[in-house]
Amino acid sequence: MGEHTCDRGAVVESEPDSRELLVGRGAELARLFRAVDSVAAEPVLMLVGEVGAGKSALLDQAALRAEAGGARVLRATGSESESSLAFSALHQLLRPVLAGVDGLPGRQRAALRDAFGEGSATSGPDLMLTGVAVLSLLSGLGDHHPVLVVLDDAQWFDRASLDALSFAARRLEGEPVTMLIGARDSDRVPGFDRHTPTLTLEPLDDAAANQLLDLRPKSPTGRIRARILEQAGGNPLALVELTRTASTQERAAGPPSTGPLPLPDRLERVFAARLDSLPASTARALLLLAAMDSADWTVAVSARLPCAEDAAWIPAEQAGLVRRTSRDVQFRHPLVRSAVYHAASSGARREAHLSLATMLRDEPDRSAWHRAAACPHPDAAVSAELERTAGRARRRGGHAAAARALQRAAELAPQREESARLLVEAAAAAVFTGDLAWVEELVAAVRTRTDDAALLASATVRAGRLAVLAGRHLRVFSRLADAAEELAVSQPAAGLELLAGAAVVRFYSGEDAQRHRIRDILRRLQANASHAGLRTWVRAVSEPFDDWAQLVSLLPQLAAEAEGRPERLTAVGIMAWLLDETPQAVRAFDEAFDRWELQGALPEGLGGAVAWAYVERGRWEQAREACARITAVGRATGLDHAVACAATVEATLLAFQGEVSSARTRAEEALALVDPLESRSVAVYAHRALGAAAAAEGAYGTAYGRLRMIFTADGAPVHYHASYPALADLAAAAVRCGRHEEAAAIVERSATALADNTSPRLRALISRARGLLADPEDAEPHFRAALADPGLEYWPFERAQTLLDLAEWLRRRRRIAEARGPLTEALEVFRRLDAHPWIERARAESRAAGLDVTDAAPDALAGLSPQQQQIVRLAARGLTNREIGEKLFLSPRTVSSHLYRCFPKLGVTARSQLRDLIEGTLATAAHQQ
């Protein structure tokens, strides 16, 4: 009777030509089959279970099912040692289809090649562009047949691969692509968050465990069976392996030991016991395979291990340690690899790693890690080799891989100061992973190795940069402020950088006491001409309306100094936005992004300012693009606060455009991601979005309630910057729900607090609020004041709202002819922005004023979602599906699907008609106005 045992799951012995059975996993297997049989099922499913639970066996069965149905199956298996090699898992997954990379658009093709170290990039590839390239490649494969992506042992995937794969995974809906992920713990797979559908493999129940034992040859009985069941605890691998061991023992030896070692240690002993009788050539080949620790057989070929057909593997296969095919040799389970590796002496392990380092000299990164593994003591040459590996990883966007290489290089550096320098560099790379605990661990290690003030300050700044983006703002502020204060005299530049981070935390938290602390520390930091930009940043971020005019006067010089330097231009843009110099902010952002596409880095502090500036400027499509980028990076790095910031912007846009249900969903998601008391800025933006959604439905009482929440009980702003722009909307809701007096008190309190030291934009919003709340005979001067500054056209939506308010007032005063001009201008803006609730209000008022407004033609896109409208407009401009997908982070198939659904709604049958449709819509609207 033949025997085939899959040690990675509950596959039992069977005749050689019969189908293997999985015991006790019928429900789980059925769910996996549903996933691979139907595109409309779950595009992504994570399979979670402990070692030996049967994840790999289930994934094998799903892959066989998919292949039998005509699907293309792509697989990658993680290994612990290769988690330090950037994009190694992605390369393993896509190697069979790399020819398809040539068919990708140029930028995507270059991004993937850079990621795989085949390009000429001098800086890391754009994380989102790499993710879009993966999505496009998988989607393109789906043009020919369904695609199943199987990611096994994903907890060992390198971070760069996970970032790209998780980016693609979130966009698989509607694609003929299914992704199955096997992992020991879903919390250990960055990028695949709690929203990823998860199937957990629980231990087998008693009935299934007994059934599995019954199917084994020489099924155990009596006390031995009871002991196996007790020790295995429902783990299928333990049941199989302990039964195999028991069946080979002499019965007189009694039942297996019941010692206190945990189950994995017992299994390692089980596997290690099989090594004793192996030939020397087999033992050496196994140790090399274990030391190599790669599921990618091409690496073994490069390392010149015996080929799969070599007789050296036969004894290992007969002992149940490896699985051979005509193509490769793999350990039957990670515990086998662990047992083989740890059963060898330390000298034998070092010799194996040195042999691999020599054989893999054409793969310098792998070679460097093997040399490091063979080092029992510090070694300057190996440390330098790892530092070079880190440089290559960083250029490819592998920040986690770079940080790990630098951390190991620091451990091998003979000199303490050199070790400290490398740890600072490791912390700088680790910042981009979003793992604050790791960064702080590296910084703590720096402190144990050096007293160098500059290095210590640099390490503290690295940790501070990431801490700024964490959610616990009150605790983080104290840490940053304390560090800035300590460095104020000895390292003023580092102290100022930390204070700049503290100012960002102050913005997020909105805590007023922090303003005074920042001001005190800033006074203590010696002024230096080279630090002017950072000092201005601290002031603009922490209290923009304290000395508004003077801060605004500094912006042109700062912009000139930042020319050609994208990071500094972005900082200038953020300051300009905070000071309500939105046109200058948008110019800075445009120039920065023309020169520098964000390359997988963290969202910069206050990165949401980019999206808000585009919203205010009336460039809503670009605002959505900015939100998509912030969301993608925030999710990849586990920074919920960044995701929440983007969600509030999206919620606001959705509300303005009448997508009320979606707006509420996004705003509530933002509130769920943060502590509103720690993140007042997010809470205020979310309540503003919810207020706008309620107003869009005409529920003005609800709208007022939401907007009232962004001011304290006595009428002060909850947030010193985010609350003020809502004053006019608060007033508009108040006059429609009978809360006139309360709203008027809040407006006047804010006007007094701001006095004359504020922006024309805020003065206009206050004037609009006063006009809405004034007695009818007194309202006109306030509306006229709100429209007086011609520069306010740079805030088109806010200006159009004021024009509509003035027109409504004029018509009610029977000054109908005067109302028509503001109405026409307001309606044009609302139509351009697709602000449907406002279009309806303006059209109703226009008809009441005697204007001939046709309902249908100007609203040709009204039945489309905001994303569909974006796609249609880009298609009308002549962009291809690939170009649109690259711009909006979608696959070409998703773009095509949206267009296919849009054509009937728009009454067109060809792409070429879209331009005429949109131009005709605008022309008709202009004519009817």
Side-chain angles (χ1 to χ4, degrees):
M1 176 175 172
E3 175 178 301
H4 181 83
T5 305
C6 179
D7 295 330
R8 293 187 296 173
V11 180
V12 302
E13 293 88 344
S14 61
E15 295 295 330
D17 59 346
S18 68
R19 188 172 182 272
E20 294 181 335
L21 303 174
L22 284 92
V23 173
R25 298 302 190 198
E28 293 90 341
L29 195 58
R31 185 171 177 189
L32 287 175
F33 283 176
R34 286 197 301 273
V36 301
D37 288 346
S38 173
V39 173
E42 293 167 312
V44 181
L45 180 62
M46 182 174 291
L47 192 62
V48 175
E50 64 178 3
V51 173
K55 301 181 296 295
S56 297
L58 286 165
L59 292 173
D60 288 343
Q61 291 296 313
L64 289 171
R65 173 84 164 209
E67 286 178 332
R72 176 66 182 268
V73 177
L74 300 176
R75 300 192 66 148
T77 302
S79 63
E80 186 172 5
S81 66
E82 294 208 343
S83 63
S84 299
L85 299 175
F87 292 108
S88 59
L90 187 65
H91 193 252
Q92 181 191 155
L93 179 77
L94 299 182
R95 179 180 283 112
V97 294
L98 284 180
V101 174
D102 292 336
L104 294 176
R107 294 175 66 236
Q108 295 180 36
R109 183 170 62 250
L112 266 187
R113 286 179 174 165
D114 288 346
F116 295 154
E118 300 168 0
S120 57
T122 56
S123 59
D126 186 325
L127 180 146
M128 267 64 70
L129 194 57
T130 304
V132 169
V134 173
L135 180 62
S136 297
L137 187 58
L138 295 177
S139 179
L141 291 172
D143 290 339
H144 308 291
H145 33 58
V147 177
L148 175 63
V149 175
V150 180
L151 311 177
D152 200 3
D153 276 330
Q155 74 277 356
W156 298 131
F157 277 28
D158 64 278
R159 182 60 180 272
S161 293
L162 283 173
D163 287 345
L165 289 166
S166 62
F167 180 96
R170 285 190 290 272
R171 291 158 177 81
L172 290 181
E173 186 174 354
E175 299 286 344
V177 181
T178 301
M179 184 178 290
L180 300 181
I181 308 157
R184 295 181 188 176
D185 185 345
S186 58
D187 292 339
R188 295 183 62 190
V189 186
F192 293 91
D193 58 22
R194 60 184 177 275
H195 301 299
T196 303
T198 300
L199 176 59
T200 301
L201 295 185
E202 303 293 348
L204 297 179
D205 60 25
D206 289 343
N210 275 290
Q211 182 186 358
L212 178 57
L213 292 184
D214 289 340
L215 290 168
R216 302 294 298 175
K218 299 180 183 179
S219 178
T221 60
R223 289 187 304 150
I224 292 180
R225 185 184 186 99
R227 180 58 61 204
I228 290 172
L229 289 169
E230 178 185 346
Q231 290 186 11
N235 183 286
L237 175 64
L239 289 163
V240 170
E241 290 303 327
L242 292 175
T243 300
R244 182 196 291 270
T245 301
S247 70
T248 60
Q249 291 178 336
E250 293 292 335
R251 293 296 180 179
S257 170
T258 60
L261 292 176
L263 180 62
D265 291 335
R266 292 185 179 280
L267 289 176
E268 282 198 19
R269 286 191 170 191
V270 167
F271 292 128
R274 302 180 195 169
L275 300 173
D276 295 338
S277 61
L278 294 178
S281 61
T282 301
R284 173 174 167 74
L286 283 174
L287 181 55
L288 286 172
L289 186 62
M292 187 182 67
D293 187 25
S294 173
D296 191 344
W297 186 249
T298 58
V299 178
V301 173
S302 299
R304 296 197 290 279
L305 265 70
C307 66
E309 292 83 6
D310 195 289
W313 299 114
I314 295 175
E317 184 179 32
Q318 291 172 340
L321 298 172
V322 299
R323 176 186 303 173
R324 281 198 309 163
T325 70
S326 60
R327 300 184 305 274
D328 63 12
V329 178
Q330 300 289 343
F331 284 114
R332 299 184 72 84
H333 191 275
L335 285 178
V336 182
R337 181 256 169 188
S338 178
V340 169
Y341 187 79
H342 291 291
S345 67
S346 59
R349 291 198 297 268
R350 285 198 297 274
E351 183 182 342
H353 283 297
L354 285 173
S355 295
L356 289 168
T358 301
M359 291 187 288
L360 290 168
R361 57 181 174 271
D362 292 336
E363 298 190 44
D365 295 334
R366 285 190 169 93
S367 180
W369 276 105
H370 283 298
R371 291 193 190 283
C375 273
H377 307 295
D379 187 308
V382 177
S383 176
E385 196 172 340
L386 279 173
E387 186 175 8
R388 289 191 290 273
T389 286
R392 288 189 290 269
R394 193 152 34 194
R395 287 191 294 274
R396 293 162 60 193
H399 299 294
R404 276 193 285 270
L406 288 162
Q407 186 174 16
R408 180 65 175 135
E411 293 168 358
L412 293 174
Q415 301 299 321
R416 290 174 63 83
E417 288 299 314
E418 177 66 3
S419 177
R421 179 190 69 79
L422 289 166
L423 285 169
V424 171
E425 291 300 313
V431 162
F432 295 104
T433 69
D435 189 340
L436 181 57
W438 186 17
V439 173
E440 291 179 336
E441 172 194 327
L442 292 166
V443 171
V446 173
R447 296 192 181 107
T448 67
R449 285 168 168 79
T450 184
D451 296 323
D452 185 286
L455 271 179
L456 290 171
S458 179
T460 304
V461 168
R462 303 302 186 190
R465 183 181 179 194
L466 181 55
V468 164
L469 298 170
R472 310 303 298 178
H473 296 309
L474 299 181
R475 184 178 64 194
V476 168
F477 178 85
S478 296
R479 187 190 312 163
L480 292 172
D482 290 347
E485 203 161 28
E486 289 177 12
L487 295 170
V489 176
S490 62
Q491 297 288 327
L496 191 55
E497 281 199 56
L498 289 166
L499 194 63
V504 174
V505 177
R506 143 78 171 155
F507 180 90
Y508 286 144
S509 72
E511 179 65 42
D512 198 53
Q514 295 172 355
R515 173 172 63 96
H516 303 294
R517 181 107 194 261
I518 289 172
R519 187 183 292 176
D520 291 343
I521 297 172
L522 192 60
R523 286 197 196 99
R524 295 181 58 190
L525 284 161
Q526 184 177 358
N528 184 306
S530 64
H531 300 157
L534 269 181
R535 294 183 72 89
T536 306
W537 170 274
V538 171
R539 293 169 59 199
V541 172
S542 60
E543 43 186 347
F545 302 126
D546 180 62
D547 195 0
W548 176 83
Q550 201 264 340
L551 289 171
V552 168
S553 70
L554 297 174
L555 290 177
Q557 179 61 32
L558 292 175
E561 293 171 356
E563 187 174 356
R565 303 175 66 178
E567 291 187 27
R568 291 184 62 176
L569 278 169
T570 301
V572 171
I574 291 170
M575 287 187 281
W577 172 75
L578 287 163
L579 296 166
D580 276 336
E581 293 293 303
T582 302
Q584 185 168 347
V586 168
R587 285 196 300 273
F589 294 145
D590 285 347
E591 184 179 348
F593 300 152
D594 281 346
R595 295 174 176 269
W596 173 54
E597 300 234 347
L598 299 180
Q599 299 190 0
L602 293 176
E604 291 295 323
L606 294 179
V610 177
W612 279 118
Y614 284 131
V615 169
E616 293 169 7
R617 187 65 185 84
R619 290 163 57 172
W620 291 1
E621 290 180 11
Q622 286 169 286
R624 281 198 172 87
E625 292 171 22
C627 288
R629 186 175 289 274
I630 293 168
T631 300
V633 175
R635 283 180 173 160
T637 50
L639 295 172
D640 286 348
H641 193 271
V643 176
C645 289
T648 61
V649 183
E650 289 182 290
T652 302
L653 286 174
L654 288 164
F656 287 167
Q657 295 189 317
E659 299 282 333
V660 172
S661 176
S662 298
R664 288 199 185 96
T665 298
R666 294 296 282 140
E668 296 294 350
E669 285 174 0
L671 289 172
L673 287 170
V674 301
D675 179 347
L677 296 179
E678 290 261 3
S679 300
R680 290 185 179 88
S681 60
V682 170
V684 167
Y685 288 132
H687 289 306
R688 279 172 53 179
L690 290 167
E697 292 184 315
Y700 293 107
T702 302
Y704 182 81
R706 284 292 182 179
L707 295 170
R708 181 65 183 84
M709 293 173 70
I710 67 177
F711 295 90
T712 64
D714 60 357
V718 166
H719 189 274
Y720 64 94
H721 187 273
S723 291
Y724 287 129
L727 285 168
D729 293 331
L730 177 82
V735 298
R736 290 170 171 82
C737 69
R739 306 300 292 272
H740 181 286
E741 291 185 7
E742 183 180 40
I746 293 172
V747 170
E748 293 309 318
R749 173 171 180 152
S750 295
T752 300
L754 292 168
D756 294 328
N757 194 26
T758 189
S759 65
R761 178 208 178 191
L762 280 186
R763 286 198 293 271
L765 289 172
I766 290 171
S767 293
R768 179 190 168 210
R770 284 170 166 165
L772 288 164
L773 295 166
D775 291 335
E777 59 272 16
D778 300 327
E780 184 174 11
H782 297 299
F783 288 135
R784 298 293 184 189
L787 296 166
D789 190 334
L792 296 174
E793 67 181 2
Y794 293 115
W795 290 265
F797 185 63
E798 293 174 3
R799 177 176 169 81
Q801 288 175 303
T802 307
L803 287 166
L804 181 57
D805 290 335
L806 173 62
E808 287 175 339
W809 181 86
L810 288 169
R811 188 184 64 78
R812 284 165 176 73
R813 307 296 290 176
R814 301 185 183 281
R815 295 162 61 179
I816 293 174
E818 294 178 65
R820 290 173 179 165
L823 276 173
T824 299
E825 187 178 346
L827 184 56
E828 181 181 2
V829 172
F830 294 143
R831 282 174 166 162
R832 178 173 63 81
L833 297 175
D834 291 317
H836 298 295
W838 293 90
I839 291 171
E840 292 306 314
R841 268 189 60 187
R843 285 162 61 185
E845 192 65 29
S846 297
R847 286 191 291 269
L851 289 171
D852 182 15
V853 181
T854 303
D855 290 343
D859 296 318
L861 305 183
L864 308 182
S865 70
Q867 186 179 66
Q868 288 174 331
Q869 292 179 29
Q870 268 188 296
I871 290 170
V872 167
R873 286 197 174 92
L874 291 172
R877 284 163 44 189
L879 274 69
T880 65
N881 288 356
R882 281 183 167 182
E883 291 169 335
I884 296 170
E886 192 171 294
K887 198 172 186 66
L888 302 182
F889 311 115
L890 302 170
S891 75
R893 183 187 305 279
T894 299
V895 173
S896 176
S897 177
H898 278 302
L899 287 172
Y900 179 80
R901 292 195 294 270
C902 291
F903 279 15
K905 296 178 183 179
L906 299 174
V908 300
T909 58
R911 194 186 194 97
S912 58
Q913 297 172 281
L914 292 176
R915 179 175 179 179
D916 291 340
L917 172 77
I918 291 178
E919 289 182 352
T921 293
L922 295 175
T924 302
H927 175 73
Q928 291 173 343
Q929 291 165 17

